[in-house]
Amino acid sequence: NQCTFVSDDGRRCSERGRLQVDHILPVAKGGDDRAENLRLLCAAHNQLMAERHFGKEFMRGKIAARGKHSGEH
């Protein structure tokens, strides 16, 4: 029940709240839902990993689109 992100200097994230299941290899890049491909990350590190896989601009666009649709009923 803790974020599994480890920084380049070896420190593990201490966040224990708002944990999310992350695909180590994203489904969009051929990953699957097997346990070996899943890890727990806090929201911030999940976003960081998404940006590393897909790029910051792509993820900003996804977030903006999600915000636009959240106001629809």
Side-chain angles (χ1 to χ4, degrees):
N1 292 335
Q2 180 178 341
C3 180
T4 60
F5 180 84
V6 178
S7 65
D8 290 340
D9 65 0
R11 285 188 282 158
R12 183 175 175 186
C13 177
S14 62
E15 182 63 53
R16 293 181 181 273
R18 300 181 55 218
L19 297 178
Q20 303 171 350
V21 176
D22 176 61
H23 290 85
I24 296 166
L25 178 63
V27 173
K29 292 189 171 189
D32 58 33
D33 291 332
R34 289 179 299 139
E36 302 83 38
N37 191 43
L38 302 175
R39 62 185 167 193
L40 285 177
L41 294 177
C42 65
H45 284 122
N46 195 0
Q47 180 67 31
L48 175 65
M49 293 294 102
E51 289 175 359
R52 286 184 179 176
H53 280 288
F54 300 107
K56 284 184 181 183
E57 290 304 313
F58 178 82
M59 293 310 299
R60 283 186 188 136
K62 287 289 191 185
I63 292 168
R66 197 175 1 180
K68 256 198 283 189
H69 296 303
S70 67
E72 295 177 0
H73 296 283

